[in-house]
Amino acid sequence: MPATVQRIARVAVPSPLRRIFDYVLPDALLPEPQTNEPVPPTAEQPLPLPGVRVRVPFGNRELTGILLEISLQTDISQQKLRPLSAILDDKPLIPLHLLKLWLWAASYYQHPVGEAMHTLLPAGLRAKETAAVKRRKSDSAIASTVSDKPLQLNAEQQSACDAIRQSRGNFNCFLLDGVTGSGKTEIYLQAIQDTLNQNRQALVLVPEISLTPQTLTRFRSRFDTPIAVMHSGLTPRRRLNAWLEAASGEAGIIIGTRSAIFTPLARPGLIILDEEHDSSFKQQDGFRYSARDLGIMRARSERIPIVLGSATPSLESLHNARSGRYQHLRLTERAGTANMPRYILVDTAQQPLQDGFSRELLDAIQAHVQRGQQALIFINRRGFAPVLQCQDCGWTAECQHCDARMTLHRHPPHLRCHHCDRREPVLRHCPSCQGKSIHAVGTGTERCELALQQRFPDIPVVRVDRDATRRKDELDRLLEQINEGQPCILVGTQMLAKGHHFPAVTLVGVLDADSGLFSADFRGQEFMAQLLIQVAGRAGRAEMPGEVMIQTRHSTHQNLQTLIHEGYHALADQLLAERKLADMPPFSHLAVIRAEAISASAPADFLLLARQTAIQLLTQSGTLNRVTISGPLPAPMEKRANRFRQQLILRSSSRSHLQNLLSALCVELEHSNNQRKVRWSVDVDPQDMI
């Protein structure tokens, strides 16, 4: 029988252990009653509420944890319990309904609850600092400068806006499924204005930091309300200020990336998730949560509508909309006078390329810039060339720590692994045959930029990728230059493909559309289609017609033909039918257990134990035939950052059966001696199988 004791504080402590820790709550830490009346000696003192931060002894350190509840019982011997050191907050920082969501998320994504909560708190609240806004001009909520007025909506836009407005004060999940340039942002803006008119707050999530300044500028010119911005590019103090301004209700609109989904709101009214299909909404390491899915759970608990917007919805969201779980709002035409771009497939299988460019694409660039327009060249590869190769013996520069080739960069000259960031000098002699015939093979953004500068010396070439935008505010400067509308050629990675509005771009050229057609990831073709449609959507967004030229060595590929001639939704229908036959998401549920170690054999040994343990647990529960287990299998990139990687894939048509197995399995693995030899993690609903 558990021992009955006085006031046990149950605390989530930042620890890799999958449990909650019990501490004695000393009377000396209890707050004084907030009253001027005399308090009877027998009266109970007020207890701290769940959601406050506390300081606790943990080993030989003191850590900041989150109080989850006060109990009168514990399974730990009273003599072993240690007292709380301090209570840091007078009032809960996290509302009870949001605290429950945090706990549910930690449980669902099979992550230690203390580590999960530590991750979700702003860095400024992870220690014992006071939770208060410290104002400086650059830190306070950003004031608005209203200049824009609402635009006239077409019939489809108005119908979508009316549906969202009618859900005011009730939970409803809307899939705003509109072609690129169809005016989804204007619907967001008018729905937010309606929310503000009801004295409620709106939370807007975007997939990338690069989209935040653009979104912020648009919102500041429309709304007369403080706007808080939250993303990882901010200083800890600015991020904490934004978090507190949202929690107090001072900020009417909160704009952020995926972690902003956990921000408390004083008066929640609306959640908007733009580009809902984007894999950036799924955290890929540590606490592997999905901001999209948690956004829906949060909207349900707060009884408010949530809008998922995309021109290329994820297959999961499309399936949910078609099955009636979401309300499907379609926008089939571009807003205003803009028309959809014209697609042209350029078969490169039988023609030589000049630095990755076909003759047709170079001629098209020439024609568009001569008319005073802009061209956008998309290649999803940074650097100068992806391969450095000896023409005499075939040697290639490979990373010593990864199963990957080193990428050649020219500014400054060096070889870099894009997986572990290892860097090496550029070799002049082949280390294998000592020959001098070392050549760069393939094309990256730097090589495209150089080739276009040589081909069009009088036209500015603007490169936008992670390397070109490392300096603070450099991306803003480049986007400002592009939006001036002067003739130029843009070269970039998917940073240019996501949601940007470039009115002067009339030509989009895709240098290589083939990588996604033969991906090892079962989502590869879905991702390929989304990326192509998104980057193509940058063309012809204003009055001038747009043109999209896609270079491919497989121009007759059925899925590529379907995408170009029938559109994204026709291809989505085909891919959904294939997924159903293969019993893959969204018709089943996946989890991946990953293990890595310096030793080549340790990950496989650990996952073999995990497989055997899982089979025992399934047998004991009578659900052996409800979960399929594949592996252990080497990861598609088996060696990365000098560590060998293996994975175990679990699949089930029942989410509850999969969750029950994972919960029991994680406890067993945590107590296994083998787990000390490896790093292991669980990824529920994985978006990246690589």
Side-chain angles (χ1 to χ4, degrees):
M1 291 291 291
T4 301
V5 296
Q6 290 296 316
R7 297 190 183 110
I8 300 301
R10 310 205 70 209
V11 181
V13 180
S15 156
L17 300 176
R18 297 167 189 269
R19 50 168 293 202
I20 294 168
F21 293 87
D22 290 355
Y23 292 88
V24 172
L25 176 59
D27 290 345
L29 294 183
L30 295 179
E32 294 295 330
Q34 300 298 310
T35 176
N36 293 324
E37 299 295 327
V39 180
T42 57
E44 285 287 336
Q45 288 179 278
L47 299 177
L49 296 175
V52 301
R53 294 173 304 150
V54 295
R55 292 289 287 178
V56 297
F58 195 82
N60 57 2
R61 299 174 294 161
E62 268 201 350
L63 300 176
T64 299
I66 301 292
L67 178 66
L68 300 182
E69 66 172 333
I70 303 293
S71 176
L72 296 178
Q73 290 187 321
T74 177
D75 293 325
I76 309 298
S77 169
Q78 185 175 358
Q79 288 74 28
K80 294 182 179 180
L81 291 179
R82 302 169 75 180
L84 285 183
S85 301
I87 299 172
L88 301 180
D89 307 305
D90 296 329
K91 297 179 180 178
L93 294 180
I94 310 160
L96 185 58
H97 73 276
L98 202 53
L99 184 63
K100 290 179 179 178
L101 177 67
W102 289 24
L103 289 168
W104 180 89
S107 172
Y108 179 79
Y109 292 105
Q110 301 296 332
H111 198 76
V113 62
E115 273 195 354
M117 292 199 161
H118 188 71
T119 301
L120 303 181
L121 278 178
L125 295 179
R126 294 175 189 172
K128 53 185 178 182
E129 287 83 357
T130 303
V133 174
K134 294 182 180 177
R135 297 225 179 250
R136 294 181 305 187
K137 279 188 176 181
S138 60
D139 291 336
S140 59
I142 300 171
S144 300
T145 52
V146 178
S147 59
D148 285 356
K149 296 189 182 296
L151 302 178
Q152 183 68 39
L153 302 180
N154 61 32
E156 288 181 332
Q157 289 175 306
Q158 189 63 57
S159 176
C161 231
D162 290 343
I164 298 168
R165 187 178 294 114
Q166 289 165 10
S167 283
R168 180 194 305 152
N170 294 292
F171 167 71
N172 206 335
C173 183
F174 296 96
L175 176 61
L176 184 58
D177 179 359
V179 298
T180 53
S182 58
K184 294 185 289 295
T185 303
E186 183 62 28
I187 294 174
Y188 300 156
L189 294 172
Q190 297 201 18
I192 290 170
Q193 185 62 65
D194 182 66
T195 302
L196 296 175
N197 291 343
Q198 305 303 312
N199 195 30
R200 298 276 186 162
Q201 295 167 283
L203 174 61
V204 181
L205 300 190
V206 294
E208 295 281 357
I209 293 176
S210 63
L211 294 180
T212 310
Q214 172 185 302
T215 307
L216 179 60
T217 301
R218 184 87 181 267
F219 279 46
R220 288 182 66 192
S221 64
R222 176 68 68 91
F223 299 114
D224 184 19
T225 188
I227 299 173
V229 180
M230 296 194 65
H231 58 70
S232 59
L234 300 175
T235 63
R237 168 45 60 183
R238 293 183 66 186
R239 192 166 185 177
L240 174 56
N241 280 355
W243 199 87
L244 295 172
E245 286 158 355
S248 68
E250 178 182 347
I253 301 172
I254 297 86
I255 301 173
T257 48
R258 62 175 172 259
S259 61
I261 194 60
F262 297 104
T263 306
L265 302 179
R267 305 178 309 279
L270 176 67
I271 298 174
I272 292 173
L273 215 113
D274 194 26
E275 309 293 355
E276 67 83 28
H277 67 277
D278 199 291
S279 59
S280 298
F281 285 121
K282 178 70 190 291
Q283 176 74 22
Q284 300 293 355
D285 54 23
F287 180 28
R288 291 175 166 83
Y289 64 89
S290 165
R292 179 192 65 198
D293 297 345
L294 287 180
I296 296 169
M297 295 295 294
R298 176 171 183 174
R300 178 181 284 114
S301 70
E302 294 179 333
R303 297 184 180 89
I304 60 174
I306 179 171
V307 181
L308 310 178
S310 178
T312 53
S314 65
L315 296 191
E316 285 84 358
S317 293
L318 268 181
H319 177 67
N320 284 330
R322 292 173 180 177
S323 61
R325 293 189 184 93
Y326 302 168
Q327 189 168 337
H328 202 175
L329 306 176
R330 292 294 306 272
L331 304 176
T332 58
E333 299 177 353
R334 282 191 160 181
T337 58
N339 295 313
M340 296 300 294
R342 180 170 69 99
Y343 288 88
I344 301 170
L345 282 179
V346 180
D347 193 332
T348 59
Q350 302 299 325
Q351 64 170 297
L353 300 178
Q354 303 175 38
D355 294 309
F357 291 87
S358 63
R359 169 61 57 184
E360 295 97 317
L361 180 54
L362 289 172
D363 290 345
I365 294 172
Q366 178 83 42
H368 280 260
V369 296
Q370 281 183 346
R371 292 197 294 265
Q373 299 161 357
Q374 296 175 346
L376 188 158
I377 305 303
F378 172 76
I379 177 168
N380 210 22
R381 254 195 314 264
R382 292 185 291 135
F384 185 82
V387 180
L388 189 67
Q389 187 175 60
C390 175
Q391 301 296 301
D392 293 335
C393 70
W395 169 89
T396 58
E398 297 185 352
C399 178
Q400 298 179 19
H401 294 167
C402 303
D403 291 334
R405 291 168 174 163
M406 303 284 279
T407 298
L408 175 64
H409 288 253
R410 290 194 61 182
H411 302 291
H414 67 284
L415 294 169
R416 187 191 311 171
C417 175
H418 287 172
H419 300 280
C420 71
D421 207 36
R422 177 183 173 83
R423 304 184 186 208
E424 295 180 357
V426 179
L427 301 174
R428 296 185 179 182
H429 297 82
C430 172
S432 178
C433 71
Q434 306 305 312
K436 296 183 179 180
S437 298
I438 295 182
H439 295 278
V441 180
T443 302
T445 50
E446 288 182 5
R447 190 170 202 161
C448 288
E449 179 187 29
L450 179 63
L452 290 169
Q453 287 171 340
Q454 294 172 345
R455 174 85 180 186
F456 305 100
D458 299 327
I459 302 296
V461 179
V462 181
R463 176 164 60 93
V464 181
D465 59 20
R466 196 184 308 168
D467 299 317
T469 58
R470 288 188 185 277
R471 288 186 298 178
K472 184 180 180 182
D473 300 328
E474 183 65 16
L475 178 60
D476 293 348
R477 187 191 68 78
L478 292 176
L479 294 178
E480 185 176 339
Q481 177 185 348
I482 295 167
N483 284 319
E484 288 175 356
Q486 297 301 312
C488 67
I489 304 171
L490 320 181
V491 176
T493 58
Q494 57 185 329
M495 286 182 70
L496 281 177
K498 298 180 179 182
H500 294 290
H501 180 66
F502 302 134
V505 170
T506 54
L507 172 68
V508 166
V510 179
L511 291 198
D512 180 11
D514 297 335
S515 57
L517 291 174
F518 307 101
S519 170
D521 190 336
F522 76 93
R523 287 192 173 90
Q525 302 222 6
E526 176 189 358
F527 292 159
M528 177 272 298
Q530 289 166 345
L531 194 54
L532 285 181
I533 295 297
Q534 289 289 335
V535 72
R538 303 315 108 202
R541 295 174 69 92
E543 292 77 14
M544 297 174 288
E547 192 172 57
V548 181
M549 302 188 74
I550 301 175
Q551 295 185 170
T552 173
R553 297 177 62 85
H554 302 277
S555 60
T556 59
H557 194 286
Q558 178 185 349
N559 287 354
L560 194 55
Q561 288 285 330
T562 300
L563 179 68
I564 299 306
H565 297 295
E566 300 180 48
Y568 176 78
H569 286 77
L571 178 59
D573 289 340
Q574 290 185 15
L575 295 178
L576 280 169
E578 293 172 5
R579 298 266 187 96
K580 188 172 185 179
L581 285 174
D583 193 29
M584 295 295 282
F587 303 97
S588 64
H589 308 284
L590 284 185
V592 177
I593 302 178
R594 296 186 173 95
E596 60 178 47
I598 295 176
S599 162
S601 60
D605 293 342
F606 174 77
L607 291 181
L608 185 60
L609 172 66
R611 178 190 176 95
Q612 295 168 347
T613 305
I615 291 173
Q616 292 174 2
L617 292 169
L618 290 170
T619 302
Q620 292 169 6
S621 62
T623 56
L624 183 59
N625 61 341
R626 301 302 300 271
V627 180
T628 301
I629 305 175
S630 303
L633 301 167
M637 181 181 291
E638 184 175 3
K639 187 182 180 185
R640 182 174 181 178
N642 214 29
R643 302 182 76 88
F644 294 90
R645 308 187 306 152
Q646 296 265 334
Q647 54 191 28
L648 194 70
I649 302 173
L650 293 81
R651 175 166 51 94
S652 177
S653 58
S654 166
R655 196 186 299 272
S656 61
H657 282 109
L658 184 59
Q659 280 290 318
N660 291 339
L661 171 61
L662 289 172
S663 297
L665 181 58
C666 286
V667 172
E668 294 292 332
L669 294 179
E670 191 174 76
H671 292 93
S672 165
N673 290 331
N674 287 30
Q675 67 108 16
R676 299 174 184 173
K677 302 176 183 178
V678 300
R679 294 178 188 166
W680 64 281
S681 63
V682 181
D683 192 355
V684 179
D685 301 332
Q687 288 295 302
D688 182 0
M689 301 295 290
I690 302 298

